[in-house]
Amino acid sequence: RPGPEESGVAVIGLGRFGWHVSQSLTALGYDVLAVDENPRIVQRWSDQLSRVVQADATDEKALRQLGLTDFGRVVVAIGASVEASVLVVLALAELGVPEIWARATSEKHAKILDAVGADHVVFPEAATGERVAHLIVSKMLDFI
Ligand code: ATP
């Protein structure tokens, strides 16, 4: 379990990926602040997560008001809009967030995220695809 000083994580973007990240961190004892610009998405998860707020995370002022500067770690889970994901990472880097995790959908997207200040870039679809391929191979090895 995390110590009190490291237990806060903010997750931006509550699509399927962001929701699973938020839910897993909550189950692991982390204090999660989930942010999405879409009020319907915020409404949908408000019963399941302890803190869900509506805000446009490309807006530095909004991020400051939400207290994002106090978070040691922020996960940018936006995938479909490269522009939004890049602008959010840039805003977080400019606010001085120490550890920024960001989701990339392509190698070029990853390069831009890295250039604007992401500390860790992840490729959820690629990672899951590889895992499934390995699971299939290991199951096939069971029969040899
Ligand atoms: P997934 O594959 O995880 O289901 P998706 O591709 O369907 O995601 P995305 O476009 O990656 O959807 O967006 C994920 C969430 O991020 C959406 O709920 C969207 O409202 C939110 N989002 C997009 N832009 C911003 C922003 N600027 N600020 C806050 N939330 C945002």
Side-chain angles (χ1 to χ4, degrees), residues 26-71:
T26 302
L28 289 165
Y30 284 77
D31 180 21
V32 175
L33 171 67
V35 181
D36 201 288
E37 68 175 357
N38 184 336
R40 277 184 309 164
I41 301 274
V42 170
Q43 177 68 32
R44 182 187 302 164
W45 300 122
S46 59
D47 290 346
Q48 318 257 346
L49 295 168
S50 58
R51 284 194 292 164
V52 192
V53 294
Q54 192 269 324
D56 174 2
T58 61
D59 178 357
E60 245 182 85
K61 211 173 97 197
L63 294 179
R64 237 188 238 110
Q65 279 169 357
L66 289 175
L68 261 277
T69 43
D70 298 336
F71 283 78

Side-chain angles (χ1 to χ4, degrees), residues 12-18 35-38 41 55-58 77-81 84 88 103:
I12 317 249
L14 291 176
R16 282 158 299 179
F17 175 65
V35 181
D36 201 288
E37 68 175 357
N38 184 336
I41 301 274
D56 174 2
T58 61
I78 300 166
S81 168
V88 173
R103 167 193 183 179

Side-chain angles (χ1 to χ4, degrees), residues 9-13 17 21 25 73-77 92 99-102:
V9 183
V11 177
I12 317 249
F17 175 65
V21 172
L25 285 170
R73 269 165 296 195
V74 179
V75 181
V76 181
L92 294 168
E99 200 177 316
I100 302 170
W101 291 72

Side-chain angles (χ1 to χ4, degrees), residues 75-92:
V75 181
V76 181
I78 300 166
S81 168
V82 173
E83 184 182 354
S85 111
V86 168
L87 291 177
V88 173
V89 169
L90 182 63
L92 294 168

